[in-house]
Amino acid sequence: GDSVTQMEGPVTLSEEACLTINCTYTATGYPSLFWYVQYPGEGLQLLLKATKADDKGSNKGFEATYRKETTSFHLEKGSVQVSDSAVYFCALFTGTASKLTFGTGTRLQVTL
Amino acid sequence: GAGVSQTPSNKVTEKGKYVELRCDPISGHTALYWYRQSLGQGPEFLIYFQGTGAADDSGLPNDRFFAVRPEGSVSTLKIQRTERGDSAVYLCASSSGTGVTEAFFGQGTRLTVV
């Protein structure tokens, strides 16, 4: 079945540090890939997405590239801010079912 | 409303009791989804409604779980004979079409079974 594996947290970084959160997937067919973010006290929000191989999704300074050869979709940001502190979820959608498959989430804590 | 609203935000119940969790989707959204997020896990799919009907209920863990959406807007997730393992955050999402990837999520209801 479909599955998503992402690095365990928490990840603690100083402000302006570089961020990488690893995500790999297993899927039948050709999935679309997503990163969702959950800020404290808020609902899940779509951060970025990529629908086919080599696509790069980007939003709010975050980027992720769909790598079919390594089945990966790592989230990156060059300079994190305290306001980026949240839980980040990698997810996939294959279209064969009406559901997103999520990873377990990675908590990011950014300190001054 | 402005977003997906879930009530209550927190619910504590005793083992064996019955609970109902409510979801008010964004006005006009025809698709509605329920997910469950257990501690330390990502959200897991429970059920998907298109209009009033359950288009996919393959994620419901057993027959103690049931959901309805009688008028195609508000949905209620019902759990009978609750068990401690049902403790989780229950998330609701809605979208204007059939695409869960375009859905907006509510803040969830945290259910604790003691």
Side-chain angles (χ1 to χ4, degrees), chain A residues 43-54:
Chain A
L44 275 172
Q45 301 174 27
L46 178 63
L47 179 61
L48 55 84
K49 65 181 182 182
T51 57
K52 61 183 188 296
D54 299 325

Side-chain angles (χ1 to χ4, degrees), chain A residues 3 10 18 26 53 55 57 65 74 79 92 98 103:
Chain A
S3 67
C18 293
T26 302
D55 269 2
T65 301
H74 304 322
S79 176
L92 68 82
S98 49

Side-chain angles (χ1 to χ4, degrees), chain B:
Chain B
V4 178
S5 176
Q6 293 187 245
T7 54
S9 54
N10 281 284
K11 175 71 176 178
V12 180
T13 191
E14 292 181 349
K15 180 175 177 294
K17 298 290 188 183
Y18 168 84
V19 296
E20 290 189 350
L21 311 180
R22 176 187 169 105
C23 173
D24 279 271
I26 293 172
S27 178
H29 279 191
T30 57
L32 186 145
Y33 309 84
W34 283 99
Y35 283 76
R36 178 171 70 173
Q37 186 175 5
S38 300
L39 189 64
Q41 302 297 314
E44 294 178 311
F45 171 77
L46 294 176
I47 187 170
Y48 156 52
F49 287 91
Q50 185 60 238
T52 60
D56 183 353
D57 64 358
S58 62
L60 295 177
N62 52 59
D63 62 6
R64 295 187 298 106
F65 287 75
F66 190 71
V68 296
R69 195 185 184 201
E71 298 178 357
S73 55
V74 171
S75 177
T76 304
L77 179 65
K78 308 181 180 193
I79 311 174
Q80 298 178 322
R81 304 184 304 280
T82 52
E83 300 177 356
R84 292 198 178 88
D86 299 335
S87 297
V89 176
Y90 290 81
L91 300 172
C92 178
S94 71
S95 70
S96 58
T98 57
V100 65
T101 58
E102 309 299 328
F104 294 85
F105 283 82
Q107 294 186 29
T109 293
R110 181 176 298 279
L111 175 67
T112 303
V113 182
V114 297

